[in-house]
Each structure stands twice: as C-alpha cells, then as structure tokens.
Amino acid sequence: MGIGVTAGAVAVGGVATNASASERGASDSSGAADSLVFDPDDYTEVTESIADAAGDKHTVVYRFYKPRDYVTNPSDSTHQSLVVSVPVKIDGKAVDASRAPVVFANSVGAYMPSSVAKATGVGQNELEMTGMAAPGGGGSASGAPGGAPAGGTSAGGPSGGTGAVNGMVNLAKLAVVAGYVAVEPGARGRSLTDSSGAYYGTAPAAIVDLKAAVRYVRFNRGRIPGDTDRIVSTGTSAGGALSALLGASGDSPLYDRYLEEAGAAPASDAVFATATWCPITDLEHADGAYEWIWGTNATQSTGKTVDQTVSKALRTQFAEYQAGLRLRGLDGYGPLTARNYDDYLLRTYFQPSATKYLAALSETDRTAYLKKNTFITWSGGRATFAWDDFLTHVGARKKTAPAFDAFDLSAGENNEFGEDTTEARHFTAYSLANDTTGVTGKRLASDIPGLLRLMNPMHHIEERNRNRSRHWWIRLGTSDSDTSPTVSANLAAALDNLGDDVNHEYYWDQGHATNVDPGDFITWVARVCGYRKR
C-alpha cells in the first residue's frame, strides 16, 4: 500500500516535499545569492551527431550551458558545478523541451570525484581515477578502474552498450537525443585532499553535492528549461548507489547542516524518479551479502576460495540482517530469508533473464549457446537451471573477503569513510575486530554510525521517507561479482513493499556497469513522467 502525504507537506510534481522548502524554491531570486540564479540566455549553441538508444545517429542542435557552481560556498568549484544541455532541433525538426523531463545524470564511479569543469558539450562529465593504486584485498568501490565493465564472463556474454562511456551508456547524450533536458553534476569524491593532506571528499560529500545540485535545479524553476518537478536521477555503480540514495532521502533533515554549510539553494532536493545500475550500496551489510552468494567461488586474483571461516561468519551476519528486514518478495513471493533467497532470485530474476536472452537469439545462435551451456534446460520457450550450476557458470568472483570493509583497509569503501588526514577507516565491527593494520580500539569511530545512515538508502526506506521517489528503475548483470544481487533485490523489495513503482531486472551474462536496454529506459522516463513530445 502506498504512503500518503501528511499535513505539512505538499505534492510537487508527484513528489511529496517539505512545504517551506518547495515554497522557497518556487519564489523569485530575492531569497538566494545572485550566483545561484540561472541565466537562460547564457549558452552556446552546439551541433553534434549523437547516437540514440538503437545506435542510429541524429544531428542534434542543443543549447549548452557552461559549468556553473551550484552552491554559494563551494570547497571545490572544479567538482561542485554542473552543466545543462537543452535540445532545440533534432534532424532539422524543432524541439520544445520547455516541459521535458530533466535527466540528472551523475558520473560518479568508485566514490571518486567527477567534474564537468572542462566540459564544452553534453556527456563530458569526467570520472577521476588518476593516481589511485590498484585495489588491494577488498577490491575497489566500483570494481574495474574507471568504471569499465567487468565483462569477459565465463559465459562469454557481451558487456557495455551503445555509446558506452566509463563502461556505461552515456545517459546525458541519450536524454538530449530523445528530446529531454540533461543536467550533469560534478561531485567531490574520496581521493580529494587539501594542502594539509586532509580528505574533504569522503562521506557524505558526494551525496551532499548531488542534493545541492538538485536544489539548484529546482530553485531555478522557470529559468532552467524542462520540467524541474520531473527530475529523473541516474547513476552506475557507486554512482548508482548515490542515485538510489538521492531518490530515497529526498528532503531528509539529516543533511541540512551540510547543505547549509555549502550554501545550497533554498529548495527541495527530492527527485521524481530514480534509475540505478549495479548500485554499490548498503555498505555496512555488503560483506555478508557478498559472501552469501559468492562465498564458495574462487577469486579471480588467486584462483582459490577465500578463508571459509571468514566467509561463513559473514554469511551468518547476512542471514541475521535479512531476517531483520522482514521483506516480502515481488510478485507475491512471500518472506525473503537467507534460506530461500536463492530460489527467489532464480524464479523472479535469473531464469526469466536467461529466458529473455535466449528468446531473442536466432534459432541457430540459441542452439549454439545451449550446446555450450548444457546446465540450462530450454523447454516450452523457458529456461530453467539449478542454483549451483548458475554459480559455476558465473565462475570466479571479483573480490576477496571481506569485499568492502577489508581487514587491511585496502578497499575503496574504507577510503570513502576516511577522515581528516586518515585515509581509510573501518565501518563494520567485524572488520575492526579482525584488523591487520594495527588499528586499535574495540569500537568503531563515534561518527561512523551517523555516516552510514547518511550513505545508505535502506535507512530512509525503512523510515518510510515521504519525500522519496515513487518510480524506480533498477538494473544489474547476473555475472556482476562486484556486488551481490541481493543488494539491489532488497532495494527493490523494500520499495515495492511500500507500494512504489519498481521496474527491476537483471541482464543475463552481463558484468559490472552494463546497460543493454537503454531504449526501454528512455521510454520508461516518458511514461512515468507523463511526457509527450510537442
């Protein structure tokens, strides 16, 4: 059953938002610094050949609004700025994007910084991975450096997609060629340090920046072209986690002091719809979720299984956490537990995913695929297989154990929780207790619980945040061992249980950061936003 809007909140474009915030956002510029007023006449007209979701090229004329700060007190303008792209002609035909959806496309990967400071056109948001060491025992926050797709699975399935950038279809370009408005925000990330060596882009900097950017867009309603009440957030990997967090935490007061310090615009930071690909999220429970599925698979780096004592301990943690969530599966499945999650994934996602993939092949190609992958039974136009055979099919896992809070503090997520001049910190009691770096103390740092709350969409969903998105697009590859499939499945189930509109699928044989149905996504945006081209 859906959640109603209580007194004291108003519905803005289908999103319940804090009344005072939305009222201020709808007012004129007198209540905010002049630097946050968007000038609709300050643009460069760009003509570019852009491929649509099907790969067909189109001549697109669009207005490109150069990088501008989205806060009045930026700690780093190189990253705390955004660009806007508005189509005006596609293949010579005029486009009226004045009421088009706004696709808010973040390019964060690995919780690293991203920047549009050098952008001269749409789709030039840069993910910064320079200078980062190769991942250690725990792997990195996004998997492959630079967000590249993991691909190359044992199944030999394809990876990536049309117009892939950083291993992901460029959603900003797809938005513009579809006639939508694209907003690309930069954001601070975990590798940034100041002159004293202090880290200033670690949690919760990235989500604060994305919220501030949304506030900027909504504050400039009527000045920024497009329907600013129909913002659709997108992101992949760590960016997918941030997109999910942005959608789940709309107008949460937990972020107010950070937004005030940055000088964010006085407006709502709720987004209408949320799209997330392979989100690296629910970090405090991610180690257990990872071991639950990949615990007995050999690792890519060693060809051996991980320490089974560690793996079993983490699997036990997952079972306890999953029971505590009290989630019910989609399509009337019933309670989800560690004991039946394999059956749930097979029935609800993996077998339908394989069926969809095989049905789309020619008879010749399907026969060849089934000959190579004999564990699949193809009967009556439906694929079935056993769980253990599926795990064997995927093959070696990407990360060691623990996958996210590494005992030696080598995981990207450890750096995400760094503080001051401390590069990396533990964020789970289990890894702290088993630390191999000499960290002392029996308790996590006092600020860690609060930071986890700020960085996890599940917390906001559990609290039934009224200002969350109500429309969700969630995708993950079945061969993606950068994370656990239960992470996105739990996200989908939690939202579904609240009555939200959830569109969740897994791509068969796909690795990390892949997108094989971009056209369906573009169509979905129009449908949930109720948009028809003029």
Side-chain angles (χ1 to χ4, degrees):
M1 182 171 63
I3 294 174
V5 180
T6 62
V10 294
V12 179
V15 179
T17 63
N18 179 275
S20 59
S22 60
E23 288 165 1
R24 289 196 304 269
S27 67
D28 63 22
S29 63
S30 60
D34 290 344
S35 61
L36 294 185
V37 175
F38 184 87
D39 181 357
D41 296 321
D42 182 21
Y43 64 84
T44 300
E45 190 164 280
V46 178
T47 300
E48 186 177 344
S49 178
I50 301 177
D52 63 16
D56 298 326
K57 291 292 188 71
H58 300 270
T59 300
V60 181
V61 180
Y62 62 94
R63 293 176 178 176
F64 178 74
Y65 294 86
K66 64 184 180 182
R68 59 206 65 211
D69 292 349
Y70 49 69
V71 290
T72 60
N73 187 32
S75 60
D76 185 342
S77 292
T78 299
H79 300 96
Q80 292 173 291
S81 57
L82 58 74
V83 296
V84 179
S85 301
V86 182
V88 293
K89 284 185 181 180
I90 299 176
D91 293 332
K93 183 179 180 180
V95 174
D96 179 4
S98 60
R99 301 302 299 166
V102 176
V103 173
F104 185 84
N106 88 67
S107 292
V108 175
Y111 289 103
M112 295 290 283
S114 63
S115 174
V116 295
K118 298 178 181 179
T120 58
V122 67
Q124 297 177 13
N125 195 328
E126 296 181 357
L127 169 63
E128 298 174 11
M129 302 291 288
T130 304
M132 294 305 294
S140 68
S142 69
T153 67
S154 61
S159 61
T162 303
V165 174
N166 293 330
M168 186 65 189
V169 166
N170 193 315
L171 295 169
K173 284 184 179 290
L174 283 183
V176 169
V177 76
Y180 307 158
V181 174
V183 173
E184 298 173 82
R188 290 168 295 169
R190 62 181 172 87
S191 64
L192 298 173
T193 57
D194 62 19
S195 58
S196 67
Y199 288 85
Y200 65 89
T202 54
I207 185 59
V208 170
D209 286 353
L210 295 184
K211 281 179 168 288
V214 170
R215 288 191 175 197
Y216 176 91
V217 173
R218 297 194 70 154
F219 172 76
N220 282 291
R221 179 179 183 177
R223 292 184 284 264
I224 290 181
D227 187 346
T228 56
D229 287 336
R230 292 291 189 274
I231 297 174
V232 182
S233 174
T234 71
T236 306
S237 192
L242 291 168
S243 183
L245 181 56
L246 189 63
S249 66
D251 292 333
S252 169
L254 294 179
Y255 304 86
D256 283 353
R257 73 178 180 91
Y258 300 99
L259 290 162
E260 290 170 4
E261 290 172 1
S268 169
D269 54 63
V271 295
F272 182 79
T274 300
T276 172
W277 285 262
C278 48
I280 304 293
T281 192
D282 199 5
L283 295 177
E284 59 266 47
H285 306 108
D287 287 328
Y290 195 89
E291 292 309 312
W292 175 84
I293 183 169
W294 307 123
T296 58
N297 285 39
T299 60
Q300 292 179 10
S301 59
T302 67
K304 300 178 181 179
T305 58
V306 299
D307 185 327
Q308 289 301 293
T309 299
V310 171
S311 184
K312 289 177 181 178
L314 291 170
R315 276 178 259 170
T316 298
Q317 290 181 22
F318 170 76
E320 294 172 352
Y321 172 60
Q322 191 64 45
L325 287 175
R326 298 182 179 180
L327 296 177
R328 301 184 71 84
L330 274 64
D331 302 325
Y333 184 84
L336 294 179
T337 69
R339 289 188 175 184
N340 68 9
Y341 223 129
D342 53 353
D343 179 71
Y344 175 65
L345 289 174
L346 281 176
R347 292 191 188 188
T348 308
Y349 295 113
F350 292 174
Q351 290 177 348
S353 174
T355 297
K356 183 177 180 179
Y357 173 79
L358 288 166
L361 296 178
S362 68
E363 185 173 350
T364 299
D365 289 344
R366 183 166 55 249
T367 299
Y369 185 92
L370 291 170
K371 184 177 181 180
K372 181 179 179 181
N373 297 280
T374 56
F375 73 99
I376 297 176
T377 298
W378 180 254
S379 177
R382 181 172 177 264
T384 57
F385 43 86
W387 179 254
D388 288 345
D389 290 334
F390 166 75
L391 294 180
T392 300
H393 174 69
V394 173
R397 56 189 268 174
K398 179 73 172 290
K399 300 178 180 181
T400 57
F404 298 92
D405 189 355
F407 292 158
D408 63 359
L409 293 171
S410 63
E413 289 77 12
N414 292 123
N415 180 210
E416 172 64 4
F417 291 98
E419 180 195 35
D420 196 14
T421 57
T422 300
E423 180 181 9
R425 296 190 295 169
H426 289 298
F427 52 90
T428 65
Y430 180 77
S431 288
L432 175 62
N434 291 278
D435 173 80
T436 61
T437 68
V439 173
T440 58
K442 296 182 179 180
R443 294 185 178 180
L444 294 170
S446 60
D447 64 324
I448 290 293
L451 290 176
L452 290 169
R453 187 180 181 85
L454 291 169
M455 297 302 294
N456 192 343
M458 295 297 286
H459 289 299
H460 301 280
I461 297 167
E462 289 169 6
E463 293 179 354
R464 296 173 173 248
N465 177 29
R466 290 182 173 86
N467 298 345
R468 70 183 184 278
S469 294
R470 293 300 201 273
H471 304 281
W472 296 80
W473 176 276
I474 305 171
R475 294 293 188 270
L476 186 74
T478 60
S479 296
D480 184 353
S481 65
D482 278 56
T483 183
S484 168
T486 64
V487 172
S488 61
N490 275 345
L491 177 66
L495 293 162
D496 175 80
N497 290 181
L498 291 184
D500 290 1
D501 167 35
V502 179
N503 188 317
H504 183 209
E505 293 184 12
Y506 289 74
Y507 302 135
W508 183 250
D509 275 356
Q510 296 297 307
H512 194 60
T514 50
N515 180 3
V516 300
D517 55 356
D520 291 342
F521 168 70
I522 291 297
T523 300
W524 177 83
V525 170
R527 180 179 63 78
V528 300
C529 292
Y531 176 68
R532 293 183 179 180
K533 291 183 181 180
R534 296 183 181 181

